[in-house]
Amino acid sequence: MASLDDMVQSLDEPGNWLLLASINGELAGWLFLAGIANELTAHWARVLRVQTALSFRKCGVGRALMDEVERAATEDLTLDQLHLELRSGMGLEGFYKSCGWQEIGRWPKALRFPDGDHDEVLMALPLRQTSGPVVSAR
């Protein structure tokens, strides 16, 4: 699968992480975190490919992944915010809102699927309060 190979190869890039969830030694879910190399946007990252194995749905795997990516982004990567995009009409907005994410916008009918067009929902998770400028006197 080319997209999986591309994702694994991109783990060599700084700021890209793959989080894996397991239950009793079985892969239960995964999440890809893509860092941003641009100095203007290096304070945030994108959450991509949040997946839960079908046999582990409704077991808290998605919540555990979201909790861990928030912890890792804050403590390990010292980021200020996370972004993600999702397809409307799947009930996912409520899940992410329950995890603290905020809807910040939509691209109307941006995604075309066999069942019709869907909005792309843009969401953000603020991780910590950013402080203002540091001023020191000598």
Side-chain angles (χ1 to χ4, degrees):
M1 180 176 226
S3 62
L4 177 60
D5 290 339
D6 292 343
M7 186 172 59
V8 170
Q9 287 180 351
S10 75
L11 291 174
D12 291 336
E13 298 174 27
N16 287 357
W17 287 40
L18 179 63
L19 301 180
L20 302 175
S22 63
I23 296 177
N24 298 325
E26 272 190 77
L27 181 61
W30 57 93
L31 175 154
F32 188 77
L33 182 67
I36 310 293
N38 182 311
E39 67 184 45
L40 297 176
T41 56
H43 60 285
W44 60 271
R46 291 178 64 209
V47 173
L48 305 170
R49 292 177 178 75
V50 180
Q51 301 286 320
T52 302
L54 291 175
S55 58
F56 291 107
R57 297 259 164 99
K58 306 289 185 196
C59 293
V61 173
R63 173 76 59 172
L65 285 167
M66 299 314 295
D67 288 347
E68 179 57 18
V69 76
E70 181 176 356
R71 187 214 58 78
T74 302
E75 296 175 16
D76 300 334
L77 300 172
T78 63
L79 298 174
D80 294 336
Q81 57 185 284
L82 294 175
H83 297 180
L84 67 80
E85 301 88 31
L86 59 96
R87 173 176 33 159
S88 68
M90 304 295 294
L92 297 172
E93 294 97 319
F95 168 73
Y96 287 111
K97 285 180 182 179
S98 76
C99 294
W101 290 75
Q102 304 163 356
E103 183 176 326
I104 57 169
R106 287 177 178 248
W107 293 111
K109 298 183 180 183
L111 305 172
R112 182 154 290 161
F113 288 90
D115 70 337
D117 294 346
H118 294 265
D119 294 353
E120 183 171 39
V121 181
L122 311 173
M123 299 193 85
L125 178 68
L127 297 172
R128 57 188 163 96
Q129 294 294 327
T130 56
S131 57
V134 175
V135 178
S136 60
R138 292 188 181 234

